[in-house]
Amino acid sequence: MNDHKRIVVGCDLDDVVADFIKGFMEIAARKYGVDPDLRPTSWEWDGADMTKERVDDVWQEITNTRNWWETLAVETGVSKRVMQRLNNETQLFFPTARAYCVGDPVSVQSAVWLHENFNISYPTVIVANSKGPLAVALKYDFFIDDRPKNCIEVKTAVPRCRVFMKTATHNLSTDLSESGIPRIATFDEFAETVLSAKLVQEGTCLI
Ligand SMILES: [Mg+2]
């Protein structure tokens, strides 16, 4: 534990606290008339009425839209009060593999978004593709991500870290429980789990 024994938490952004897929599908709906409420059942956008060309085209539009990462809605199951508690009571990092788009640096867009939606003054957003090495460097105690690959990378890099896979339509076919990575339905549930563990650790919760 570092930083005055604070619990260290790594929290992915897209499809954990920000509704990336909703933003993506809204562009696809506008361009191709697909149902914006469709949700992919895989990382290749199966089940969302998308082709490779459409996916590439939507990404191109994202790349060309100024500060697009500031426009996303908050994911279901993320409340401002719980986010603020987690931020106040732990050392909270937001690692993300978000892609470039025009405007401010992606890390700045992400920090602005977190401030606007949760009133966090100085969120630490780290844009990086390799989440395992980052987990080692930052010494995560807890980590949440919707991408199975990232969950496995972090658990392998830091076995003592409690890793949770946030349930999403695109990861329903993946079961990581045998790797010691349980599913969790929402960010709020994850945060409550972290905060409960913190109370036990501090000895303020007498069982
Ligand atoms: Mg994600």
Side-chain angles (χ1 to χ4, degrees):
M1 223 64 74
N2 55 15
D3 192 29
H4 306 292
K5 295 185 179 174
R6 275 178 181 251
I7 283 182
V8 182
V9 180
C11 179
D12 176 42
L13 285 175
D14 289 320
D15 303 317
V16 173
V17 298
D19 198 342
F20 164 76
I21 290 177
K22 179 173 190 280
F24 194 97
M25 290 304 295
E26 281 172 357
I27 297 175
R30 189 160 22 85
K31 287 179 101 72
Y32 304 111
V34 306
D35 179 352
D37 294 328
L38 287 176
R39 290 293 176 266
T41 55
S42 76
W43 283 94
E44 284 70 45
W45 294 91
D46 292 317
D49 199 10
M50 298 293 281
T51 60
K52 168 114 180 31
E53 290 69 31
R54 287 180 176 184
V55 169
D56 290 348
D57 201 28
V58 172
W59 272 117
Q60 194 58 50
E61 173 147 341
I62 289 171
T63 303
N64 295 333
T65 304
R66 178 162 292 274
N67 296 340
W68 186 78
W69 296 108
E70 292 182 13
T71 69
L72 297 184
V74 173
E75 175 78 10
T76 304
V78 190
S79 62
K80 187 171 178 178
R81 179 186 58 82
V82 175
M83 175 65 84
Q84 288 183 338
R85 259 195 80 203
L86 192 68
N87 184 59
N88 290 338
E89 298 185 24
T90 69
Q91 193 176 354
L92 181 57
F93 294 102
F94 297 98
T96 177
R98 284 179 166 179
Y100 168 86
C101 78
V102 294
D104 295 324
V106 172
S107 57
V108 173
Q109 294 179 43
S110 304
V112 166
W113 184 89
L114 286 162
H115 181 252
E116 282 180 352
N117 286 285
F118 303 106
N119 204 25
I120 299 176
S121 298
Y122 303 104
T124 306
V125 178
I126 302 170
V127 181
N129 281 320
S130 301
K131 293 201 173 182
L134 201 55
V136 173
L138 297 175
K139 301 186 175 74
Y140 293 156
D141 298 298
F142 286 83
F143 178 73
I144 182 171
D145 202 304
D146 62 303
R147 185 164 200 178
K149 174 177 170 287
N150 293 338
C151 292
I152 291 167
E153 251 185 63
V154 169
K155 189 70 182 171
T156 304
V158 187
R160 63 165 190 82
C161 176
R162 290 181 63 187
V163 176
F164 293 83
M165 181 166 72
K166 155 76 171 55
T167 293
T169 56
H170 50 268
N171 67 27
L172 290 178
S173 61
T174 307
D175 179 9
L176 301 180
S177 56
E178 284 190 1
S179 306
I181 302 170
R183 286 184 170 279
I184 201 150
T186 64
F187 167 86
D188 281 358
E189 268 185 55
F190 168 75
E192 298 291 357
T193 302
V194 175
L195 292 165
S196 309
K198 175 177 169 291
L199 290 178
V200 170
Q201 178 189 298
E202 290 172 349
T204 51
C205 180
L206 302 175
I207 298 169

